[in-house]
Amino acid sequence: MIDDSANIIAIANQKGGVGKTTTALCLGAAFVILGKKTLVMDLDPHASATIHLAYYPENIEESVLDIFLTDEFSIEFFNGLIKKNKRHFFDFIPGSIKLSAIEAELKDKMGKGLILKKAMNVLKEYYDYIILDCPPNFGVILINALVASTLTVIPIQAEFLALHGLKLTFDTIRMLNKVLEEPVSYKALATMFDKRVGACRRVIEVLKHNLRDRFFNTIISIDTKFREASAKGQIIYNIYPNSRGAKQYLELAKEINNI
Ligand SMILES: Nc1ncnc2c1ncn2[C@@H]1O[C@H](COP(=O)(O)OP(=O)(O)OP(=O)(O)O)[C@@H](O)[C@H]1O
Ligand SMILES: [Mg+2]
């Protein structure tokens, strides 16, 4: 992407288990491998990305929760939240299980959908890419992420049932685009593709035909190495850098970088 300031990428799909967190972490690491300064933020109250990186949400005092409870953002404030470690390539802001209470806490707050966008105005000076790992459910956090993003990547599991859940996410984007000055820009990513299965191949054809240039050329295959890496608290590039999945996320990073 040929912009001076950060590209903010929300990874979102209101269907669970489609590869959002895997995409956020692998794409984040792939950008770093390409020499890009990258921050990943865990916005899911389940804190899967945080746990995957072997941080324990129960023990973390500073997290994304602080962003939603503050009005004044400075780089000093963010430095208190950001975890830097070569083990996970990118800079990282951990999630919090207490994020699930944020909906009620922000109920009457004016501009509650714009909090993350305001935070990005400070952070984007320091990064080439900022990646937001979104929760699978609709709510104030997902709205914040979509509004703050310059691109929403929608991972879609390459199977027919997954197409059904997709409508929810497109409805959310359409609803937002009715009220936003700048529309949410999105692109779908096929994940967990198994080329031996005819139904999988047909899903790719349907997606290509319907989404055209809103569908990434890069397709992520099903690869057991993702689950193995996650079980070991590792990013795939640490332990299986030559696996097919690792190479495909690198291709995706290049494709996004050239948009
Ligand atoms: N390409 C892939 N091949 C095989 N397994 C995968 C692939 N991508 C993700 N997985 C595995 O599938 C499971 C779900 O993936 P992930 O956690 O990334 O999905 P998610 O959309 O973030 O889920 P949730 O909605 O619960 O946050 C994980 O166990 C992950 O390791
Ligand atoms: Mg997830």
Side-chain angles (χ1 to χ4, degrees):
M1 287 188 173
I2 36 181
D3 198 320
D4 285 347
S5 57
N7 293 291
I8 299 153
I9 303 177
I11 315 289
N13 185 335
Q14 281 160 255
K15 185 164 163 49
V18 294
K20 293 182 288 296
T21 299
T22 305
T23 299
L25 299 176
C26 296
L27 183 60
F31 278 136
V32 174
I33 292 168
L34 295 181
K36 304 291 173 191
K37 202 151 191 306
T38 306
L39 173 73
V40 177
M41 227 184 246
D42 183 357
L43 287 173
D44 187 351
H46 292 114
S48 315
T50 305
I51 297 164
H52 184 139
L53 296 179
Y55 293 110
Y56 298 95
E58 306 80 33
N59 301 338
I60 285 176
E61 309 245 318
E62 285 90 15
S63 74
V64 284
L65 182 69
D66 299 74
I67 297 177
F68 288 94
L69 301 177
T70 317
D71 266 331
E72 294 304 315
F73 297 118
S74 64
I75 194 60
E76 291 73 30
F77 164 76
F78 288 113
N79 281 337
L81 308 184
I82 294 172
K83 304 237 176 256
K84 296 176 191 256
N85 193 322
K86 284 226 159 48
R87 178 172 62 85
H88 52 66
F89 298 77
F90 43 76
D91 289 1
F92 181 65
I93 301 188
S96 165
I97 31 187
K98 293 190 196 135
L99 256 188
S100 52
I102 213 70
E103 202 83 34
E105 261 177 75
L106 295 178
K107 196 165 137 281
D108 300 320
K109 194 180 160 83
M110 285 280 287
K112 63 183 174 188
L114 296 170
I115 298 169
L116 214 49
K117 195 177 171 82
K118 223 172 134 189
M120 291 302 148
N121 284 338
V122 176
L123 279 171
K124 69 184 182 186
E125 302 297 321
Y126 299 86
Y127 292 97
D128 299 311
Y129 285 100
I130 300 174
I131 299 178
L132 311 171
D133 183 21
C134 296
N137 51 311
F138 179 81
V140 76
I141 298 171
L142 180 62
I143 298 289
N144 264 275
L146 296 180
V147 170
S149 71
T150 49
L151 173 69
T152 295
V153 171
I154 307 175
I156 300 173
Q157 199 178 343
E159 61 158 48
F160 266 103
L161 274 179
L163 293 183
H164 187 66
L166 197 59
K167 187 174 175 299
L168 274 179
T169 307
F170 285 117
D171 286 348
T172 304
I173 291 178
R174 258 181 237 123
M175 179 202 74
L176 277 178
N177 285 350
K178 279 190 196 147
V179 293
L180 291 177
E181 275 172 41
E182 278 181 59
V184 173
S185 146
Y186 66 89
K187 215 159 163 163
L189 170 73
T191 61
M192 303 187 207
F193 173 62
D194 187 343
K195 70 168 191 278
R196 295 164 305 177
V197 180
C200 272
R201 294 199 301 272
R202 281 197 295 282
V203 169
I204 300 290
E205 289 315 312
V206 170
L207 289 170
K208 263 189 196 155
H209 181 259
N210 285 294
L211 297 171
R212 296 160 199 264
D213 60 344
R214 291 197 183 274
F215 185 64
F216 283 107
N217 290 325
T218 309
I219 290 174
I220 310 296
S221 301
I222 193 142
D223 188 339
T224 52
K225 298 283 189 293
F226 287 113
R227 222 173 279 243
E228 283 178 40
S230 141
K232 291 179 176 151
Q234 296 281 3
I235 304 252
I236 200 161
Y237 296 100
N238 279 326
I239 46 175
Y240 306 113
N242 294 317
S243 61
R244 187 163 57 174
K247 287 180 184 159
Q248 287 169 338
Y249 273 109
L250 212 46
E251 282 310 306
L252 177 67
K254 288 181 192 159
E255 192 177 342
I256 293 177
N257 209 34
N258 289 329
I259 288 177

